[in-house]
Amino acid sequence: MDISRSFGSTQALGGVSFAIPKGEVLCLLGHNGAGKSTLVSILATALPPTSGTARVAGYDVVREAREVRRRIGLTGQFAAVDESLSGRENLVLVARLLGASRAQARGRADELLQAFDLTGAAERTAGTYSGGMRRRLDLASSFVGSPQVLFLDEPTTGLDPVSRSGLWELVRSCVAQGTTVLLTTQYLEEAEQLADRVIVLGRGRTIADGTPARLKARLGGSTVRAQLAEPARLPAALDALRRAGLDAGPGEPDGSVAVPVRESAALAAVVRALDEAGLGITGISLTEPSLDDVYLALAESAGPLPGSPAAPPAHAVPRPGVSVPS
Ligand SMILES: Nc1ncnc2c1ncn2[C@@H]1O[C@H](COP(=O)(O)OP(=O)(O)OP(=O)(O)O)[C@@H](O)[C@H]1O
Ligand SMILES: [Mg+2]
């Protein structure tokens, strides 16, 4: 059954279903309040669903929560480090709680301090860490138990570009070892970098589901953008393009035009049309649709923003529950 969760009259999740094959990465995208953290909390056994069932690593998140907890790692949206302990102590504590011996715990802490670039700050209390360092320590904690399934709720929010690509590498290496990952993000580039599959949530419902490539394909082809040397000649440029069978829409006041095209050969057609009309250009580019475009297009079609009551489903389709294999 589909996963739903309400808080009073607010329906945070209104029936979400999916399965992640072992060793794959699912990215959950969605605007603020879409229900991403709620879904992560339910799968990580921190919050029971109002209705529906879910299995993680083969165990039911409600009836077998303890078994689930032994097999997952979780980094929540907000850092959960003990500020009075040093970075190393935080990691050793987590390892000991997971049943490691003192020596094993120290070994694992050292590995992770290294991997998350915290060795230099290992002995300082976490209370003295910068926001990004805290985030890295928090992330390191979720890797301690070498979990089968890793939940990362906006893991790279607040990280600098170097730390961000460092985290991507860590996720990839976990996945290479068979870990299944569910991560939420506001960064579309992150989904493109990591995801085997992307689910876009809107008001607690799945509004898109597929590979990054398929989502992009929904938007059609690429776009040729050209910047006119003389912005005032925009109307002439639009005319010339139209005569060549290219629709550039209204153009931009700064004298740039964007022409949706089906194939890259159309780049030459745009250049030729402008050149034949005697219009100079100072720049031209061919851009593929990004997940950003997909996200914006879908978010618009999702209707009113969160907070408004979600409409009931048009018809109830029986589907398997949420399932995150080991
Ligand atoms: N404990 C709670 N009590 C009441 N309402 C809640 C609670 N947790 C979440 N909600 C509501 O449920 C909806 C989904 O919230 P959720 O935190 O899952 O969104 P999100 O997609 O993680 O957003 P963000 O990108 O801002 O982190 C929101 O309308 C939120 O206000
Ligand atoms: Mg959230």
Side-chain angles (χ1 to χ4, degrees):
M1 260 207 303
D2 295 4
I3 285 281
S4 295
R5 171 73 208 196
S6 299
F7 298 101
S9 62
T10 306
Q11 190 175 41
L13 284 176
V16 175
S17 290
F18 58 87
I20 318 177
K22 178 173 155 55
E24 291 203 353
V25 181
L26 172 80
C27 277
L28 274 182
L29 286 173
H31 49 65
N32 292 142
K36 305 182 297 296
S37 295
T38 302
L39 186 53
V40 168
S41 299
I42 289 170
L43 296 178
T45 77
L47 187 76
T50 311
S51 68
T53 55
R55 300 179 84 78
V56 172
Y59 295 94
D60 185 276
V61 294
V62 177
R63 286 182 292 106
E64 298 163 306
R66 185 197 289 262
E67 296 300 323
V68 171
R69 273 180 221 136
R70 289 172 55 183
R71 290 168 175 81
I72 63 171
L74 167 68
T75 297
Q77 187 168 5
F78 305 102
V81 301
D82 187 330
E83 302 200 346
S84 66
L85 299 180
S86 73
R88 183 191 307 281
E89 286 164 344
N90 262 288
L91 296 177
V92 167
L93 176 69
V94 175
R96 295 285 281 158
L97 287 174
L98 289 171
S101 72
R102 204 169 300 228
Q104 284 170 334
R106 245 179 276 146
R108 187 71 182 137
D110 283 339
E111 277 170 31
L112 289 167
L113 288 165
Q114 180 97 42
F116 284 84
D117 197 20
L118 288 168
T119 306
E123 316 307 334
R124 272 165 52 194
T125 58
T128 68
Y129 282 14
S130 73
M133 291 164 78
R134 253 177 243 217
R135 194 84 196 125
R136 295 207 299 272
L137 180 59
D138 199 21
L139 285 163
S141 320
S142 70
F143 282 81
V144 168
S146 305
Q148 290 175 31
V149 181
L150 195 54
F151 295 104
L152 303 172
D153 195 0
E154 300 200 22
T156 61
T157 299
L159 292 190
D160 61 41
V162 173
S163 304
R164 178 168 299 169
S165 53
L167 176 86
W168 292 347
E169 277 315 306
L170 273 160
V171 170
R172 288 190 191 108
S173 75
C174 279
V175 168
Q177 289 164 37
T179 305
T180 306
V181 179
L182 184 151
L183 77 86
T184 77
T185 182
Q186 300 278 348
Y187 302 109
L188 303 147
E189 188 198 354
E190 190 154 291
E192 290 190 279
Q193 284 279 339
L194 294 174
D196 295 296
R197 179 167 167 199
V198 177
I199 288 182
V200 185
L201 285 182
R203 293 184 298 152
R205 291 177 189 281
T206 301
I207 56 174
D209 182 349
T211 61
R214 268 189 54 191
L215 285 181
K216 277 188 178 182
R218 280 176 68 158
L219 272 196
S222 314
T223 305
V224 175
R225 288 173 208 283
Q227 176 67 48
L228 299 178
E230 297 167 77
R233 301 191 63 194
L234 181 62
L238 296 177
D239 261 358
L241 290 167
R242 224 169 280 132
R243 280 198 304 277
L246 298 161
D247 178 12
E252 296 289 330
D254 69 353
S256 62
V257 292
V259 189
V261 295
R262 287 272 150 208
E263 58 207 351
S264 48
L267 181 66
V270 172
V271 174
R272 202 161 43 235
L274 294 175
D275 185 48
E276 280 169 5
L279 295 155
I281 51 176
T282 58
I284 189 153
S285 66
L286 178 72
T287 44
E288 277 194 75
S290 73
L291 212 46
D292 250 338
D293 299 323
V294 178
Y295 179 48
L296 285 174
L298 290 168
E300 273 164 21
S301 66
L305 286 171
S308 47
H315 53 96
V317 185
R319 297 173 74 184
V322 174
S323 164
V324 185
S326 55

